[in-house]
Amino acid sequence: MAKIEELKKRGVRVLAPEGTFVGEEVNIDRIAAEGVILYPGTKILGEHTFIANNARIGVEGPVTVDNCYIGPGVSLNGGYFSAAVFLNNASCGLGSHVRKGTILEEQASIAHTVGLKQTILFPYVTLGSLINFCDCLMAGGTGRDNHSEVGSSYIHFNFTPNQDKATPSLIGDVPRGVMLNHSPIFLGGQGGLVGPSRLAFGTVVAAGTICRKDQLKENHLVLGEKARSGTVPYTTGTFFSLKRIIRNNIIYIGNLYALRQWYGNVRSRFVGPDFPAELLEGLQVTVMSGVCERLKQLERLSDKLTETGAREGIQYDFPMAWKDIRSILDNLLAFDGMDDGTEVFLKDIDQLIKRNGQDYLRVIKSLEMAQTESGTAWLDRIVERVVADTSRCVPALI
């Protein structure tokens, strides 16, 4: 109770002290005083937990927060939240289950009973209710009235019969998505996406559709296929579309590398009262967590291919090349893709900050087309370098 009393003295509103728990490891200096409300049933854990001004925790039901970075105006209304980042005015409904590697950027939201892990939602992205959406990055949209959305009862299929999770799906992408000027993506309710998939900006997947293929042309409608029934011979350990699986994983990692550079070189310019340094820390830690997860899952895939190959008398190329691919990916972490055009782009950002203040959304949306194209070209170079360098190891697969 001592920490709860300290929080109250600092100005945090603890509505039911007897029904609130704060772990001994929690650093209360990382919990802001102004406007923070802890509703009954709130449990706060973790030495890294950070809560900014005007955050509301538990308004709809009990909440557990464990080592999360919570930005200004965020509402975590009910559920379990661990090792995740929530930027300004993000919100999560009752029954949320949000785990490691997840980032909700500005004004992203999920309704009730949604499960996320290793999921990144760019600004304004909205998820309905009763959704399982792990191992995804979703971008698209230009504002609250024009945002990417996932309909209720949707699932991202991220676990295979071969018991691997080399299944991350890229819905939009980082180089264009961060510019907040591309068409939104809509995934209709009671449907699903089989990972690893890539969907272009402007894609609309009809309600009730299971999308099993990449859709790389912008502004297309994906309709459900005709229903199929019956059986075919199948043995667990059979790997279909291996080239597509590995290529999509490498492209996803390339996008995480690009996002890492965006956070380090662009987001870092906005550190201030509305974007405390602790939130930047959370973004950088979490995107690296995502990189590590993807590498771990590719290594598991390599091991499974080795096991299957030994059993079936087949020699797969990917396990033979994995050590070299991993070395290349480790080395490329330091690649920033910058050139003279990038330096001009970053100076343009600085000028817009001087003119408009440190409002991230306002600054990015005020970029002119030529400026966004320059920024996108910079981030594209990072993704393309990751794909090009790794493809030399297994050109038949990537």
Side-chain angles (χ1 to χ4, degrees):
M1 290 295 291
K3 290 208 169 189
I4 293 174
E5 290 303 316
E6 288 184 63
L7 288 173
K8 289 171 63 179
K9 288 178 182 178
R10 297 182 62 205
V12 174
R13 293 181 62 192
V14 184
L15 300 188
E18 68 283 356
T20 303
F21 178 82
V22 179
E24 287 298 319
E25 76 284 3
V26 174
N27 180 356
I28 63 170
D29 291 334
R30 290 170 66 89
I31 300 177
E34 182 182 337
V36 173
I37 305 177
L38 305 183
Y39 287 83
T42 296
K43 183 191 297 181
I44 300 177
L45 308 169
E47 61 181 324
H48 299 296
T49 289
F50 172 80
I51 303 176
N53 293 334
N54 300 312
R56 301 195 308 165
I57 313 297
V59 66
E60 294 178 345
V63 165
T64 296
V65 170
D66 184 4
N67 279 318
C68 290
Y69 301 81
I70 300 169
V74 168
S75 295
L76 304 183
N77 294 333
Y80 177 77
F81 305 89
S82 176
V85 183
F86 307 89
L87 299 187
N88 301 35
N89 298 307
S91 65
C92 300
L94 180 65
S96 299
H97 196 251
V98 178
R99 292 176 286 165
K100 185 177 181 179
T102 296
I103 297 171
L104 270 66
E105 293 195 357
E106 289 87 351
Q107 300 184 40
S109 65
I110 61 177
H112 70 78
T113 325
V114 173
L116 306 178
K117 185 176 75 169
Q118 297 294 337
T119 303
I120 299 174
L121 304 181
F122 275 15
Y124 311 118
V125 174
T126 300
L127 274 59
S129 306
L130 303 168
I131 290 171
N132 190 309
F133 209 63
C134 301
D135 296 303
C136 300
L137 186 152
M138 188 168 189
T142 60
R144 287 305 315 149
D145 296 328
N146 185 43
H147 59 269
S148 290
E149 182 154 352
V150 180
S152 295
S153 301
Y154 203 87
I155 183 168
H156 177 244
F157 297 99
N158 69 324
F159 190 69
T160 75
N162 297 321
Q163 301 183 30
D164 71 84
K165 287 189 175 182
T167 52
S169 286
L170 197 58
I171 306 162
D173 62 40
V174 170
R176 274 147 287 277
V178 294
M179 301 304 169
L180 305 178
N181 63 354
H182 274 67
S183 299
I185 297 166
F186 182 80
L187 308 181
Q190 293 199 340
L193 178 64
V194 179
S197 289
R198 290 186 288 148
L199 302 181
F201 292 102
T203 297
V204 174
V205 179
T209 298
I210 305 297
C211 184
R212 304 176 185 274
K213 300 177 181 178
D214 297 339
Q215 172 52 49
L216 302 180
K217 294 181 179 179
E218 293 192 6
N219 303 310
H220 275 63
L221 172 65
V222 179
L223 298 170
E225 298 177 356
K226 292 182 179 179
R228 293 183 296 175
S229 62
T231 64
V232 296
Y234 176 79
T235 302
T236 300
T238 302
F239 291 86
F240 297 108
S241 304
L242 194 56
K243 178 176 180 178
R244 173 178 172 269
I245 290 170
I246 294 170
R247 180 175 178 81
N248 281 2
N249 271 267
I250 295 299
I251 291 172
Y252 194 94
I253 290 171
N255 274 264
L256 291 182
Y257 281 21
L259 186 58
R260 180 171 177 266
Q261 292 296 333
W262 180 263
Y263 286 161
N265 291 286
V266 177
R267 282 277 188 182
S268 59
R269 288 169 149 76
F270 292 85
V271 170
D274 293 330
F275 182 61
E278 290 86 352
L279 289 181
L280 177 62
E281 167 197 316
L283 291 175
Q284 292 173 322
V285 167
T286 305
V287 78
M288 273 306 302
S289 167
V291 170
C292 292
E293 175 69 13
R294 302 280 52 97
L295 294 175
K296 181 180 78 173
Q297 295 301 338
L298 277 180
E299 184 154 2
R300 289 182 63 186
L301 176 62
S302 175
D303 292 342
K304 288 184 176 294
L305 288 169
T306 299
E307 293 170 7
T308 299
R311 185 174 64 248
E312 303 294 335
I314 301 171
Q315 190 173 60
Y316 290 99
D317 292 335
F318 182 66
M320 297 173 61
W322 169 244
K323 184 177 180 181
D324 290 337
I325 290 174
R326 176 61 191 266
S327 178
I328 289 169
L329 291 173
D330 288 343
N331 290 335
L332 283 173
L333 266 176
F335 176 65
D336 62 17
M338 290 190 179
D339 62 7
D340 292 343
T342 310
E343 295 298 332
V344 172
F345 172 74
L346 295 176
K347 288 179 181 177
D348 289 340
I349 294 284
D350 290 335
Q351 289 299 316
L352 287 169
I353 290 173
K354 289 180 181 179
R355 189 183 312 158
N356 298 318
Q358 291 183 300
D359 184 328
Y360 174 78
L361 296 180
R362 183 179 180 186
V363 167
I364 298 304
K365 292 169 74 171
S366 65
L367 289 166
E368 296 179 0
M369 182 61 70
Q371 293 169 323
T372 63
E373 289 175 350
S374 176
T376 293
W378 160 44
L379 299 175
D380 269 336
R381 283 192 293 274
I382 298 171
V383 179
E384 291 163 1
R385 175 71 178 274
V386 169
V387 175
D389 284 11
T390 53
S391 68
R392 296 191 187 101
C393 294
V394 276
L397 284 178
I398 302 177

